[in-house]
Amino acid sequence: MLQASGATVIISRTQNRDEDDRSLSEIAEEANANNVDAFLSIHSNAVGTNTGTNYVLLLLHGYDNAPTVEASLPMAQAAWPRLMSNKLTPWTHYTTSSNLRGDFTFYGNTSGLGVLRPLIVPGFLSEGSFHDYQPETHRLLNKDYRKLEAVNFYRYFCDYFLADLPATGIIAGYAKGKDETFVHPRYTYKAGTDDRWLPLNGAKVKLMNAAGDSLDVYEVDTLYNGIFAFYNLVPGNYKLQISATDHTTKDTTISVLAATTSYAKMMLVNPNIIVPNDTT
Protein backbone atom coordinates (compact mmCIF):
# COMPACT_ATOMS: atom_id res chain seq x y z
CA MET A 1 0.00 0.00 0.00
CA LEU A 2 2.84 2.38 0.83
CA GLN A 3 4.68 1.53 -2.37
CA ALA A 4 1.49 2.02 -4.40
CA SER A 5 1.29 5.52 -2.88
CA GLY A 6 4.84 6.34 -4.01
CA ALA A 7 6.75 5.66 -0.80
CA THR A 8 10.13 3.93 -0.79
CA VAL A 9 9.87 0.93 1.54
CA ILE A 10 12.69 -1.18 2.97
CA ILE A 11 11.43 -4.44 4.49
CA SER A 12 13.78 -6.29 6.85
CA ARG A 13 12.27 -9.64 5.89
CA THR A 14 9.21 -11.00 4.10
CA GLN A 15 9.30 -14.61 5.34
CA ASN A 16 9.04 -16.03 8.86
CA ARG A 17 11.76 -18.68 8.59
CA ASP A 18 14.98 -19.33 10.49
CA GLU A 19 17.07 -18.56 7.40
CA ASP A 20 15.47 -15.11 7.20
CA ASP A 21 16.43 -14.15 10.76
CA ARG A 22 18.61 -11.06 11.05
CA SER A 23 20.29 -9.47 14.03
CA LEU A 24 18.29 -6.69 15.61
CA SER A 25 21.16 -4.21 15.41
CA GLU A 26 21.60 -4.96 11.69
CA ILE A 27 17.96 -4.07 11.03
CA ALA A 28 18.26 -0.77 12.89
CA GLU A 29 21.56 0.10 11.23
CA GLU A 30 19.96 -0.51 7.83
CA ALA A 31 17.35 2.12 8.70
CA ASN A 32 20.08 4.54 9.79
CA ALA A 33 22.19 3.93 6.67
CA ASN A 34 19.21 4.80 4.46
CA ASN A 35 18.28 7.82 6.58
CA VAL A 36 14.63 6.72 6.58
CA ASP A 37 11.85 9.09 7.53
CA ALA A 38 10.15 6.48 9.73
CA PHE A 39 11.03 3.12 11.25
CA LEU A 40 8.38 0.60 12.33
CA SER A 41 8.98 -2.75 14.01
CA ILE A 42 5.78 -4.84 13.92
CA HIS A 43 5.13 -7.44 16.63
CA SER A 44 2.44 -9.18 18.66
CA ASN A 45 2.62 -9.65 22.42
CA ALA A 46 2.33 -12.49 24.96
CA VAL A 47 2.19 -13.01 28.72
CA GLY A 48 2.23 -16.82 28.99
CA THR A 49 -0.99 -18.26 30.40
CA ASN A 50 -3.45 -15.74 29.01
CA THR A 51 -7.10 -15.85 30.07
CA GLY A 52 -8.12 -12.34 29.04
CA THR A 53 -5.30 -9.89 28.38
CA ASN A 54 -5.31 -8.10 25.03
CA TYR A 55 -4.10 -4.56 24.44
CA VAL A 56 -1.83 -2.41 22.25
CA LEU A 57 1.64 -1.35 23.43
CA LEU A 58 3.86 1.07 21.48
CA LEU A 59 7.50 1.24 22.62
CA LEU A 60 9.92 4.09 21.97
CA HIS A 61 13.65 4.10 22.69
CA GLY A 62 14.29 6.17 25.82
CA TYR A 63 12.09 7.29 28.69
CA ASP A 64 8.33 7.78 28.81
CA ASN A 65 7.52 11.00 26.92
CA ALA A 66 11.25 11.54 26.27
CA PRO A 67 12.50 9.28 23.48
CA THR A 68 16.12 9.50 22.35
CA VAL A 69 14.85 10.62 18.93
CA GLU A 70 12.27 13.32 19.63
CA ALA A 71 10.17 12.76 16.49
CA SER A 72 9.44 9.17 17.55
CA LEU A 73 6.81 10.34 20.05
CA PRO A 74 4.46 12.18 17.64
CA MET A 75 4.74 9.21 15.29
CA ALA A 76 3.53 6.81 17.97
CA GLN A 77 0.83 9.27 19.00
CA ALA A 78 -0.44 9.37 15.40
CA ALA A 79 -0.45 5.56 15.15
CA TRP A 80 -2.28 4.89 18.43
CA PRO A 81 -5.87 5.84 17.44
CA ARG A 82 -5.53 4.00 14.14
CA LEU A 83 -4.56 0.75 15.86
CA MET A 84 -7.22 1.13 18.53
CA SER A 85 -9.90 1.56 15.86
CA ASN A 86 -9.96 -2.24 15.39
CA LYS A 87 -13.44 -3.29 16.56
CA LEU A 88 -13.07 -7.01 15.82
CA THR A 89 -11.12 -7.68 19.02
CA PRO A 90 -11.93 -6.78 22.64
CA TRP A 91 -9.35 -4.41 24.10
CA THR A 92 -8.96 -5.13 27.82
CA HIS A 93 -6.83 -2.12 28.79
CA TYR A 94 -6.01 1.43 27.65
CA THR A 95 -9.35 2.03 25.95
CA THR A 96 -9.50 5.63 27.20
CA SER A 97 -5.79 6.45 27.40
CA SER A 98 -2.77 5.69 25.25
CA ASN A 99 -0.07 3.13 26.10
CA LEU A 100 3.08 4.71 24.69
CA ARG A 101 6.14 3.73 26.71
CA GLY A 102 9.83 4.41 26.66
CA ASP A 103 11.77 1.15 26.71
CA PHE A 104 14.15 2.53 29.40
CA THR A 105 11.16 3.12 31.69
CA PHE A 106 9.23 0.00 30.68
CA TYR A 107 12.12 -2.41 31.25
CA GLY A 108 13.73 -0.52 34.13
CA ASN A 109 17.15 -0.13 32.50
CA THR A 110 19.06 2.18 30.16
CA SER A 111 19.68 -0.44 27.52
CA GLY A 112 16.24 -0.89 25.99
CA LEU A 113 15.22 -2.97 23.00
CA GLY A 114 17.88 -4.24 20.63
CA VAL A 115 15.98 -3.25 17.51
CA LEU A 116 15.54 0.33 18.79
CA ARG A 117 18.86 0.81 20.59
CA PRO A 118 21.02 1.83 17.58
CA LEU A 119 18.35 4.04 15.94
CA ILE A 120 19.21 7.62 15.09
CA VAL A 121 16.11 7.95 12.89
CA PRO A 122 12.57 8.30 14.30
CA GLY A 123 10.54 5.18 14.87
CA PHE A 124 8.88 2.82 17.31
CA LEU A 125 7.95 -0.80 17.98
CA SER A 126 4.33 -1.93 17.95
CA GLU A 127 2.92 -4.80 20.00
CA GLY A 128 -0.39 -4.88 18.15
CA SER A 129 -2.28 -7.47 20.23
CA PHE A 130 -1.67 -10.58 22.35
CA HIS A 131 -1.16 -13.70 20.26
CA ASP A 132 -1.45 -15.94 23.33
CA TYR A 133 -5.00 -14.72 24.04
CA GLN A 134 -6.72 -17.67 22.40
CA PRO A 135 -9.47 -15.87 20.44
CA GLU A 136 -6.84 -13.45 19.12
CA THR A 137 -4.66 -16.43 18.15
CA HIS A 138 -7.43 -17.59 15.84
CA ARG A 139 -8.01 -14.10 14.44
CA LEU A 140 -4.31 -13.68 13.68
CA LEU A 141 -4.41 -16.89 11.66
CA ASN A 142 -6.71 -15.07 9.23
CA LYS A 143 -4.84 -13.21 6.47
CA ASP A 144 -7.49 -10.51 6.18
CA TYR A 145 -7.41 -9.80 9.90
CA ARG A 146 -3.67 -9.20 9.61
CA LYS A 147 -4.23 -7.08 6.51
CA LEU A 148 -6.64 -4.87 8.45
CA GLU A 149 -3.79 -4.11 10.88
CA ALA A 150 -1.59 -3.27 7.90
CA VAL A 151 -4.29 -0.91 6.62
CA ASN A 152 -4.28 0.89 9.97
CA PHE A 153 -0.50 1.31 9.79
CA TYR A 154 -0.84 2.63 6.25
CA ARG A 155 -3.48 5.15 7.30
CA TYR A 156 -1.22 6.25 10.17
CA PHE A 157 1.64 6.96 7.75
CA CYS A 158 -0.77 9.00 5.61
CA ASP A 159 -1.89 10.92 8.69
CA TYR A 160 1.62 11.66 9.89
CA PHE A 161 3.12 12.65 6.55
CA LEU A 162 -0.01 14.54 5.43
CA ALA A 163 -0.47 12.29 2.41
CA ASP A 164 -3.80 11.72 0.70
CA LEU A 165 -5.85 8.97 2.30
CA PRO A 166 -7.62 6.43 0.07
CA ALA A 167 -10.88 7.51 -1.55
CA THR A 168 -12.32 4.05 -0.88
CA GLY A 169 -13.35 2.24 2.29
CA ILE A 170 -13.54 -1.25 3.80
CA ILE A 171 -16.24 -3.44 5.30
CA ALA A 172 -14.97 -5.93 7.89
CA GLY A 173 -16.72 -8.09 10.41
CA TYR A 174 -17.28 -11.51 11.88
CA ALA A 175 -19.99 -14.18 11.75
CA LYS A 176 -20.78 -15.92 15.04
CA GLY A 177 -23.54 -18.04 16.48
CA LYS A 178 -25.97 -16.20 18.75
CA ASP A 179 -26.37 -18.00 22.10
CA GLU A 180 -23.75 -20.60 21.08
CA THR A 181 -20.81 -20.56 23.47
CA PHE A 182 -17.49 -21.80 22.10
CA VAL A 183 -16.47 -24.49 24.60
CA HIS A 184 -12.99 -26.02 24.51
CA PRO A 185 -10.56 -26.60 27.40
CA ARG A 186 -7.83 -24.57 25.66
CA TYR A 187 -10.12 -21.76 24.51
CA THR A 188 -10.27 -19.15 27.25
CA TYR A 189 -11.77 -15.72 26.66
CA LYS A 190 -12.44 -12.42 28.36
CA ALA A 191 -15.73 -12.67 30.25
CA GLY A 192 -18.56 -10.52 28.96
CA THR A 193 -17.16 -10.14 25.43
CA ASP A 194 -18.29 -11.52 22.07
CA ASP A 195 -15.29 -13.86 22.18
CA ARG A 196 -17.47 -16.34 24.06
CA TRP A 197 -19.64 -16.94 21.00
CA LEU A 198 -18.96 -19.64 18.40
CA PRO A 199 -17.23 -18.39 15.21
CA LEU A 200 -19.07 -19.80 12.20
CA ASN A 201 -16.53 -21.67 10.11
CA GLY A 202 -17.30 -21.63 6.39
CA ALA A 203 -20.01 -18.96 6.62
CA LYS A 204 -20.67 -17.18 3.34
CA VAL A 205 -20.92 -13.41 3.23
CA LYS A 206 -22.50 -11.88 0.14
CA LEU A 207 -21.77 -8.23 -0.64
CA MET A 208 -24.41 -6.32 -2.61
CA ASN A 209 -24.91 -2.75 -3.70
CA ALA A 210 -27.85 -0.70 -2.43
CA ALA A 211 -30.03 -2.08 -5.24
CA GLY A 212 -29.31 -5.66 -4.19
CA ASP A 213 -26.98 -6.58 -7.05
CA SER A 214 -24.29 -9.09 -6.04
CA LEU A 215 -20.75 -7.68 -6.00
CA ASP A 216 -18.65 -10.28 -4.18
CA VAL A 217 -18.82 -13.31 -1.88
CA TYR A 218 -16.44 -14.01 1.00
CA GLU A 219 -16.18 -17.50 2.47
CA VAL A 220 -15.09 -17.48 6.10
CA ASP A 221 -12.12 -19.76 6.84
CA THR A 222 -12.28 -22.84 9.09
CA LEU A 223 -9.91 -21.51 11.77
CA TYR A 224 -12.53 -20.43 14.34
CA ASN A 225 -12.40 -16.67 13.93
CA GLY A 226 -15.45 -15.84 11.75
CA ILE A 227 -13.58 -12.96 10.07
CA PHE A 228 -14.55 -11.48 6.70
CA ALA A 229 -13.51 -8.33 4.82
CA PHE A 230 -14.19 -6.45 1.58
CA TYR A 231 -11.77 -3.82 0.29
CA ASN A 232 -11.63 -0.87 -2.13
CA LEU A 233 -15.31 0.00 -1.80
CA VAL A 234 -16.65 3.26 -3.20
CA PRO A 235 -18.33 5.24 -0.39
CA GLY A 236 -22.05 4.62 -0.13
CA ASN A 237 -24.57 2.12 1.18
CA TYR A 238 -24.15 -1.63 0.80
CA LYS A 239 -26.04 -4.75 1.80
CA LEU A 240 -24.61 -7.88 3.38
CA GLN A 241 -26.22 -11.31 3.50
CA ILE A 242 -24.62 -13.87 5.81
CA SER A 243 -25.49 -17.56 5.68
CA ALA A 244 -24.06 -20.55 7.55
CA THR A 245 -24.95 -24.23 7.90
CA ASP A 246 -27.71 -24.83 10.49
CA HIS A 247 -28.22 -21.08 10.97
CA THR A 248 -30.84 -18.60 9.81
CA THR A 249 -29.60 -16.30 7.05
CA LYS A 250 -29.20 -12.70 8.16
CA ASP A 251 -29.19 -9.44 6.17
CA THR A 252 -27.93 -6.01 7.11
CA THR A 253 -27.23 -2.63 5.52
CA ILE A 254 -23.94 -0.85 6.11
CA SER A 255 -22.51 2.50 5.05
CA VAL A 256 -18.96 2.89 3.75
CA LEU A 257 -16.89 6.06 4.14
CA ALA A 258 -13.59 6.92 2.48
CA ALA A 259 -10.43 5.82 4.34
CA THR A 260 -12.58 4.14 7.00
CA THR A 261 -13.33 0.57 8.03
CA SER A 262 -17.02 -0.04 8.66
CA TYR A 263 -17.69 -2.99 10.98
CA ALA A 264 -20.43 -5.60 10.83
CA LYS A 265 -20.62 -7.98 13.79
CA MET A 266 -23.11 -10.59 12.62
CA MET A 267 -24.72 -12.92 15.16
CA LEU A 268 -26.69 -15.71 13.45
CA VAL A 269 -29.42 -17.74 15.15
CA ASN A 270 -29.34 -21.53 15.17
CA PRO A 271 -33.06 -22.44 15.19
CA ASN A 272 -32.25 -25.84 16.68
CA ILE A 273 -31.05 -24.26 19.91
CA ILE A 274 -33.71 -23.58 22.52
CA VAL A 275 -32.68 -20.88 24.98
CA PRO A 276 -34.48 -21.42 28.32
CA ASN A 277 -36.56 -18.57 29.69
CA ASP A 278 -35.27 -16.76 32.74
CA THR A 279 -37.60 -17.88 35.55
CA THR A 280 -35.77 -16.20 38.44
Side-chain angles (χ1 to χ4, degrees):
M1 287 178 280
L2 288 167
Q3 289 171 332
S5 295
T8 299
V9 181
I10 301 169
I11 304 176
S12 61
R13 65 178 184 177
T14 59
Q15 301 288 329
N16 188 25
R17 308 173 301 179
D18 289 343
E19 56 265 40
D20 298 301
D21 282 347
R22 301 175 64 189
S23 70
L24 299 178
S25 59
E26 178 188 358
I27 294 170
E29 291 294 356
E30 183 176 62
N32 294 336
N34 286 277
N35 193 30
V36 301
D37 295 302
F39 176 85
L40 173 61
S41 187
I42 303 173
H43 297 253
S44 56
N45 213 338
V47 293
T49 304
N50 193 337
T51 58
T53 298
N54 190 43
Y55 57 81
V56 176
L57 167 64
L58 302 184
L59 288 165
L60 312 152
H61 190 52
Y63 294 100
D64 288 357
N65 299 311
T68 54
V69 180
E70 186 176 355
S72 298
L73 181 56
M75 283 185 173
Q77 289 171 331
W80 179 263
R82 288 297 187 181
L83 295 175
M84 289 298 293
S85 69
N86 177 5
K87 291 182 171 57
L88 300 182
T89 190
W91 299 122
T92 61
H93 300 74
Y94 307 107
T95 56
T96 58
S97 62
S98 58
N99 189 25
L100 317 179
R101 302 297 308 276
D103 57 358
F104 289 178
T105 309
F106 187 80
Y107 291 104
N109 58 46
T110 55
S111 177
L113 293 169
V115 76
L116 299 181
R117 193 178 306 139
L119 280 184
I120 58 174
V121 295
F124 61 92
L125 182 148
S126 170
E127 300 278 9
S129 62
F130 279 72
H131 60 253
D132 64 344
Y133 172 56
Q134 199 65 31
E136 191 72 3
T137 304
H138 289 274
R139 282 186 284 268
L140 287 167
L141 291 171
N142 181 275
K143 182 178 180 179
D144 284 300
Y145 185 74
R146 300 194 304 272
K147 184 175 180 178
L148 291 168
E149 182 181 12
V151 167
N152 284 333
F153 281 129
Y154 170 65
R155 291 171 178 167
Y156 137 68
F157 280 117
C158 292
D159 294 339
Y160 185 81
F161 290 106
L162 304 179
D164 290 337
L165 284 159
T168 57
I170 296 171
I171 293 175
Y174 53 63
K176 296 187 177 185
K178 186 178 185 297
D179 300 318
E180 294 178 271
T181 302
F182 190 11
V183 179
H184 190 281
R186 290 190 298 169
Y187 189 90
T188 53
Y189 52 82
K190 179 68 174 178
T193 69
D194 284 348
D195 280 343
R196 70 176 293 186
W197 306 120
L198 177 70
L200 298 179
N201 286 346
K204 289 182 172 58
V205 186
K206 182 179 180 181
L207 174 69
M208 298 168 282
N209 60 21
D213 302 316
S214 180
L215 302 176
D216 200 357
V217 176
Y218 188 106
E219 185 169 341
V220 172
D221 66 28
T222 57
L223 300 173
Y224 294 95
N225 53 67
I227 297 293
F228 63 86
F230 299 98
Y231 304 93
N232 301 318
L233 301 177
V234 175
N237 294 326
Y238 292 83
K239 295 179 180 180
L240 293 177
Q241 184 179 85
I242 295 88
S243 58
T245 302
D246 297 326
H247 290 78
T248 302
T249 298
K250 188 170 184 177
D251 298 88
T252 191
T253 300
I254 189 165
S255 296
V256 170
L257 303 175
T260 302
T261 301
S262 300
Y263 293 94
K265 301 178 182 181
M266 304 301 293
M267 308 297 292
L268 275 63
V269 173
N270 183 339
N272 299 314
I273 294 178
I274 299 174
V275 180
N277 292 326
D278 186 354
T279 58
T280 58

